[in-house]
Amino acid sequence: KQTGVSLRYMMEFGSVPTDRNLLLSAQFLQKELPIRIARRALELESLPFGLSAKPAILKVRDWYLDSFRDIRYFPEVRNRDDELAFTQMIKMIKVRHNNVVPTMALGVQQLKNEQFSSRKLPPGFDEIHGFLDRFYMSRIGIRMLIGQHVALHEPEPEPGVIGLINTKLSPIQVAQIASEDARSICMREYGSAPDINIYGDQNLTFPYVTSHLHLMLFELVKNSLRAVQERYMNSDKDVPPVRIIVADGTEDVTIKVSDEGGGIRRSGLPRIFTYLYSTAKNLPDMEGPSEGVTMAGYGFGLPVSRLYARYFGGDLQIISMEGYGTVIFCFVSANLSA
């Protein structure tokens, strides 16, 4: 069985990154990572609808098998030199797995194109959806454990930063950066981009993983910008802004992203968190050359963002008003195990 590690424990343990603590961390990862990686490799070999035989899925499986071997064949970590060598090796493993999400998406898309020509997915597809949820949630965990261990070697961390965790993260600041990033992609794709207004307490901070929050907000804002841009592209009306509101509650920090992009039809709402559902009209060719991030992909953005929110006990919820717009609530909690 795998061992859960809480955000609080990671913060307390990593606050004093002594050689002894880094050695203990490496020894834990040497036992823990093969367990998590092996589970995923086994699942990749027994997927329904012949998905396991798709070239893209075989490629991902090989990455997992290579990483499993690298860790299993690595000598037992006993001292500082071993620990540094082990850290370099798991750093390389993290890089090897950088493209797992788009490669998996390609494999599932190949299957969908071959077997399910209609937009309606077959009854057994729930099994693939459940697998993808488990697979991506596990991937977030593996990358968090490796990333945290590697980041603890940073000689001069920023004040308040412990590994990947910012103990004084400003959600307003992250929202501003994610918004600028999403707007620049929108500008690149359409030549213009709606404004984004951000409201909330500028002084609010809480402990969280900056990269996780950025990924979620970037995805949500990107979706809203696209919806508004496409709705008002050929209109002479004023383009309404996308609004982000940050609120601090007793349980969660809640971030609301709302737009007037026309909303999602009610029949589409139950599928919004299923993989491969996309409201985009023109889907990119994933087998062609990639030009980095696009405004709309193959419907992996929202379900994966929700997993990032749930990873530390939060959630993502959508309310849509067809003919007007969409509101997404991102509940961010830093309380639970991962």
Side-chain angles (χ1 to χ4, degrees), residues 78-331:
R78 292 166 185 248
N79 55 43
R80 171 88 173 136
D81 288 344
D82 294 349
E83 188 274 320
L84 288 172
F86 180 79
T87 300
Q88 282 307 311
M89 187 261 296
I90 60 173
K91 207 172 174 178
M92 293 304 295
I93 286 176
K94 191 164 181 268
V95 171
R96 176 188 289 149
H97 290 249
N98 277 350
N99 289 323
V100 161
V101 176
T103 310
M104 288 294 292
L106 174 59
V108 181
Q109 187 61 37
Q110 286 166 342
L111 176 78
K112 191 180 175 213
N113 290 344
E114 284 170 23
Q115 297 197 17
F116 324 127
S117 50
S118 70
R119 280 185 85 90
K120 201 165 181 281
L121 296 176
F125 202 83
D126 286 354
E127 202 182 323
I128 290 180
H129 179 78
F131 157 73
L132 289 169
D133 264 353
R134 288 190 304 277
F135 184 83
Y136 288 130
M137 191 62 117
S138 168
R139 179 176 184 269
I140 294 168
I142 289 167
R143 292 182 81 75
M144 179 71 205
L145 290 175
I146 294 176
Q148 180 68 5
H149 179 81
V150 170
L152 288 176
H153 290 75
E154 194 66 46
E156 292 175 18
E158 288 177 43
V161 173
I162 300 169
L164 298 179
I165 304 157
N166 186 343
T167 61
K168 291 186 166 57
L169 181 139
S170 161
I172 294 277
Q173 213 173 1
V174 177
Q176 285 166 342
I177 295 166
S179 296
E180 284 165 21
D181 292 347
R183 274 194 95 237
S184 69
I185 284 167
C186 188
M187 292 287 272
R188 191 184 72 197
E189 200 123 324
Y190 298 106
S192 64
D195 288 336
I196 300 168
N197 298 339
I198 302 172
Y199 309 90
D201 179 1
Q202 299 280 348
N203 300 316
L204 168 64
T205 63
F206 71 110
Y208 206 69
V209 181
T210 309
S211 57
H212 288 196
L213 187 60
H214 179 277
L215 183 144
M216 291 186 276
L217 292 181
F218 172 73
E219 190 62 41
L220 303 184
V221 171
K222 184 162 66 79
N223 286 351
S224 286
L225 288 174
R226 177 173 62 82
V228 173
Q229 186 67 26
E230 291 189 353
R231 190 181 188 203
Y232 286 87
M233 210 152 35
N234 302 315
S235 164
D236 46 12
K237 292 180 183 171
D238 288 343
V239 179
V242 171
R243 292 182 177 85
I244 301 174
I245 300 174
V246 178
D248 185 20
T250 49
E251 262 182 38
D252 301 311
V253 171
T254 303
I255 302 168
K256 180 174 101 167
V257 179
S258 60
D259 65 61
E260 294 174 38
I264 302 155
R265 60 184 70 167
R266 196 158 54 93
S267 61
L269 273 176
R271 293 180 301 174
I272 200 83
F273 286 112
T274 58
Y275 297 92
L276 298 179
Y277 175 78
S278 178
T279 53
K281 293 173 185 70
N282 302 311
L283 296 178
D285 173 17
M286 290 188 78
E287 300 205 51
S290 169
E291 292 178 16
V293 182
T294 56
M295 283 301 282
Y298 271 112
F300 273 51
L302 273 179
V304 169
S305 296
R306 183 168 69 169
L307 293 180
Y308 271 94
R310 288 180 170 177
Y311 181 72
F312 284 123
D315 208 356
L316 215 63
Q317 290 176 6
I318 293 188
I319 298 168
S320 187
M321 194 175 179
E322 194 187 0
Y324 182 75
T326 304
V327 179
I328 302 185
F329 293 97
C330 179
F331 302 100

Side-chain angles (χ1 to χ4, degrees), residues 55-86:
I57 305 298
L58 289 170
K59 184 189 276 189
V60 174
R61 188 208 61 188
D62 287 347
W63 289 338
Y64 273 76
L65 291 177
D66 288 346
S67 300
F68 179 80
R69 282 192 206 99
D70 286 350
I71 301 170
R72 291 291 284 174
Y73 292 151
F74 194 89
E76 191 181 344
V77 177
R78 292 166 185 248
N79 55 43
R80 171 88 173 136
D81 288 344
D82 294 349
E83 188 274 320
L84 288 172
F86 180 79

Side-chain angles (χ1 to χ4, degrees), residues 31-52:
K31 289 192 179 75
E32 182 65 18
L33 290 174
I35 295 170
R36 296 186 180 213
I37 290 168
R39 283 169 176 258
R40 301 289 75 83
L42 281 172
E43 264 199 307
L44 282 166
E45 290 183 339
S46 54
L47 298 174
F49 301 113
L51 181 59
S52 295

